[in-house]
């Protein structure tokens, strides 16, 4: 479900034609729909309303300050994984007590920053980190509230790069080591272990692995309690998947049905860290066709756009599939094309490697240079993973609310690009 709709052959973000946004702000531009974000946030909130739940929006999915502020106004806290994300969350909300600080390699400086900000939880991923948090908190005369991130060794059935809860992944503490740590932690100052954290991976479309993981946490939680740690919070992470090819999102209720009774049974309150589910369908990338180039295979084309893998790396990195279609077109998708209509195309960027593509082997209407294309469902891990590769300034970001268009990140300039290197000789 999203609020990008085609009216009279033109794609709109809520009440605004994407052609208008391209005129105002150029291309490539990320366009987000506030109504779509609100809808998905509400879906999570409603699905988990039967248990006390903190929804910590996972900033990494789409870190734009305007979106963080919007989510905070809806009642979200934040899940951050770096000093930079912590600074963003603080700028958006000003409230450290709404932030959980995760990440497998927080530096001492980042831990100090988290302590100063008074974060709600440190999600601690190793014995080494627990000792560091204890030492730094003791030095600074503070107490860190800690959730131990445990690795349940459960396969969530997603891409291997975004699987995080299996034994071979770098994340979390294995369940046997957790027992020893529960004992050792009783002698560590400056920390109060009040939670357990688990995050299985991302783009998970089957709720069953959540059930399996939570069942595996029963014993470690009992152990922790036996050693006097008052475990009151279970942080189940993020990972709720979305549909990239049509259809509505997997209902949040289907995850809630598996998660809520188990968390209740364990006598805990719930923390969730959703990212993609909230913003994934809420963004499109608007790009202009720069050149049409016939391939050496008859009937095939390279549609060369002004967006590239530096703007959206998901297709190149994970083989991810995103719908791509002209912004202005009577047909809404290839099923609406007559068999004799259209072209077979690879939609590519101008970057100097063959891994630079947004879509491969697509049947498209016969587009021409100058046409606008929309790449769909790029709200999560789209702009946030973009880079300056090939010295390309990063795209603009725009937030649409009804008929209102707000530039929420200006397009980078050549000065932004060169500034950090100038004046150093
Ligand atoms: N919590 C933790 C500890 C995480 O590592 C992540 C995502 C989340 C929450 C949010 O997960 P979500 O609800 O968005 O699935 N770049 C990849 C996704 C990487 C996910 C990293 N961790 C992609 O484009 O598919």
């Amino acid at each position: 479900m999203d609020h990008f709709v085609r009216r009279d052959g033109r794609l709109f973000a809520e009440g605004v034609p994407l052609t208008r946004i391209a005129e105002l702000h150029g291309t490539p531009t990320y366009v987000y729909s506030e109504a779509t974000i609100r809808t998905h946030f509400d879906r999570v909130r409603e699905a988990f309303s039967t248990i006390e739940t903190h929804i910590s929006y996972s900033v990494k999915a789409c870190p734009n300050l305007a979106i963080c502020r919007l989510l905070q106004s809806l009642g979200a806290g934040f899940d951050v994984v770096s000093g930079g994300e912590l600074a963003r969350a603080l700028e958006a909300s000003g409230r450290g007590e709404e932030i959980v600080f995760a990440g497998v390699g927080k530096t001492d400086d980042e831990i100090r920053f988290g302590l100063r900000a008074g974060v709600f939880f440190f999600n601690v991923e190793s014995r080494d980190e627990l000792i560091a948090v204890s030492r730094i908190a003791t030095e600074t005369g503070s107490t860190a509230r800690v959730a131990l991130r445990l690795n349940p060794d459960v396969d969530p059935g997603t891409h291997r790069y975004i699987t995080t809860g299996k034994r071979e992944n770098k994340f979390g503490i294995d369940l046997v080591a957790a027992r020893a740590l529960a004992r050792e932690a009783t002698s560590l100052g400056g920390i109060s272990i009040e939670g357990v954290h688990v995050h299985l991976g991302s783009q998970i479309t089957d709720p069953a692995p959540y059930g399996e993981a939570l069942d595996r946490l029963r014993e470690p939680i009992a152990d922790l309690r036996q050693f006097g740690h008052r475990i009151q919070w279970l942080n189940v992470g993020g990972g709720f998947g979305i549909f990239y090819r049509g259809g509505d999102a997997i209902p949040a209720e289907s995850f809630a049905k598996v998660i809520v009774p188990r968390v209740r049974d364990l006598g805990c309150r719930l923390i969730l860290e959703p990212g993609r589910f909230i913003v994934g369908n809420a963004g499109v990338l608007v790009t202009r066709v720069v050149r049409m180039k016939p391939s050496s295979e008859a009937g095939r084309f390279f549609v060369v756009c002004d967006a590239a893998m530096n703007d959206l790396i998901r297709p190149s990195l994970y083989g991810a599939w995103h719908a791509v279609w002209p912004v202005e077109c009577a047909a809404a998708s290839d099923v609406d094309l007559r068999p004799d209509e259209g072209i077979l195309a690879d939609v590519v960027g101008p970057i100097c490697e063959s891994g630079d593509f947004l879509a491969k082997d697509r049947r498209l209407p016969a587009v021409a240079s100058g046409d606008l294309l929309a790449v769909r469902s790029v709200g999560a891990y789209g702009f946030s993973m973009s880079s300056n590769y090939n010295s390309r300034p990063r795209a603009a970001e725009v937030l649409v609310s009804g008929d209102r268009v707000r530039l929420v990140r200006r397009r980078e300039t050549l000065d932004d690009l060169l500034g950090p290197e100038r004046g150093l000789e």
Side-chain angles (χ1 to χ4, degrees):
M1 179 279 164
D2 64 41
H3 289 77
F4 296 95
V5 281
R6 196 166 288 277
R7 293 189 202 113
D8 299 328
R10 277 198 305 172
L11 190 60
F12 281 63
E14 304 190 17
V16 185
L18 292 177
T19 45
R20 173 94 187 107
I21 295 173
E23 274 162 29
L24 285 171
H25 298 294
T27 55
T29 291
Y30 274 89
V31 180
Y32 305 111
S33 150
E34 175 170 335
T36 312
I37 295 173
R38 283 176 180 272
T39 303
H40 286 89
F41 182 78
D42 285 347
R43 285 180 176 183
V44 178
R45 184 164 46 194
E46 277 157 28
F48 288 89
S49 60
T50 55
I51 191 166
E52 186 179 339
T53 304
H54 278 229
I55 302 176
S56 303
Y57 166 62
S58 194
V59 170
K60 64 178 83 63
C62 185
N64 188 283
L65 281 175
I67 285 172
C68 289
R69 284 197 188 102
L70 166 64
L71 284 162
Q72 201 240 353
S73 76
L74 301 179
F78 300 103
D79 151 44
V80 304
V81 292
S82 68
E85 286 192 351
L86 177 54
R88 268 180 193 282
L90 289 171
E91 189 150 328
S93 79
R95 295 161 61 92
E97 66 270 24
E98 293 175 354
I99 297 170
V100 296
F101 197 170
V104 69
K106 298 172 207 74
T107 63
D108 286 7
D109 279 345
E110 286 175 321
I111 293 167
R112 270 184 212 105
F113 187 11
L115 285 169
R116 272 200 314 279
V119 296
F120 180 34
F121 263 107
F122 284 88
N123 296 342
V124 167
E125 300 236 6
S126 59
R127 171 179 181 268
D128 205 19
E129 187 187 11
L130 190 67
I131 290 168
V133 171
S134 162
R135 167 177 51 80
I136 296 166
T138 307
E139 275 164 21
T140 55
S142 43
T143 303
R145 188 183 291 115
V146 166
L148 289 185
R149 177 169 181 177
L150 302 183
N151 183 325
D153 192 24
V154 166
D155 186 352
T158 186
H159 192 285
R160 71 183 197 285
Y161 287 1
I162 53 176
T163 293
T164 53
K166 285 179 70 181
R167 188 197 305 265
E168 62 266 32
N169 304 133
K170 68 181 171 182
F171 300 99
I173 299 160
D174 81 65
L175 301 186
V176 177
R179 186 175 168 79
L181 197 55
R183 178 194 299 272
E184 185 180 357
T186 56
S187 63
L188 293 175
I191 55 166
S192 171
I193 302 180
E194 297 176 25
V196 163
H197 176 225
V198 67
H199 171 76
L200 300 179
S202 195
Q203 183 55 12
I204 300 170
T205 51
D206 173 10
Y210 286 89
E212 208 182 314
L214 290 174
D215 292 343
R216 289 190 189 185
L217 296 185
R218 299 193 77 84
E219 235 179 84
I221 289 177
D223 287 346
L224 280 159
R225 285 180 171 149
Q226 200 199 325
F227 286 110
H229 306 293
R230 294 181 46 238
I231 305 300
Q232 308 167 53
W233 293 91
L234 231 170
N235 182 337
V236 179
F240 302 163
I242 64 169
F243 282 136
Y244 284 93
R245 289 181 200 238
D248 210 344
I250 296 135
E253 285 78 18
S254 59
F255 292 102
K257 231 189 263 170
V258 170
I259 293 170
V260 170
R262 288 175 168 85
V263 174
R264 195 178 281 132
D265 239 35
L266 287 162
C268 286
R269 289 173 276 178
L270 178 62
I271 301 173
L272 293 174
E273 301 172 341
R276 187 189 317 260
F277 189 87
I278 293 176
V279 293
N281 291 132
V284 302
L285 175 61
V286 181
T287 177
R288 201 176 283 284
V289 178
V290 179
R291 302 284 170 240
M292 281 301 286
K293 192 176 162 185
S295 115
S296 54
E297 269 176 75
R300 286 190 69 115
F301 287 85
F302 293 108
V303 178
V304 187
C305 301
D306 63 2
M309 68 190 285
N310 76 297
D311 300 298
L312 177 68
I313 202 171
R314 302 194 72 257
S316 310
L317 189 56
Y318 314 112
W321 189 97
H322 289 270
V324 180
W325 201 252
V327 167
E328 291 185 285
C329 183
S333 76
D334 61 353
V335 291
D336 301 325
L337 294 179
R338 287 196 315 268
D340 59 329
E341 267 182 323
I343 56 169
L344 197 59
D346 286 356
V347 182
V348 302
I351 281 182
C352 300
E353 52 180 287
S354 299
D356 176 28
F357 56 88
L358 302 174
K360 275 198 180 262
D361 297 322
R362 297 292 174 89
R363 202 160 151 252
L364 290 179
V367 288
S369 53
D371 287 357
L372 293 173
L373 302 179
V375 187
R376 304 290 289 265
S377 297
V378 295
Y381 309 106
F383 185 89
S384 68
M385 296 181 82
S386 67
S387 75
N388 292 122
Y389 186 38
N390 274 210
S391 288
R392 289 167 49 84
R394 281 190 293 172
E397 291 179 287
V398 161
L399 179 60
V400 173
S401 320
D403 294 334
R404 182 166 169 237
V405 179
R406 206 153 41 106
L407 182 66
V408 291
R409 192 177 205 272
R410 64 166 173 76
R411 184 177 309 288
E412 286 181 356
T413 63
L414 295 179
D415 281 337
D416 293 329
L417 205 62
L418 299 174
E421 297 160 48
R422 283 186 176 137
L424 297 174
E425 304 81 46

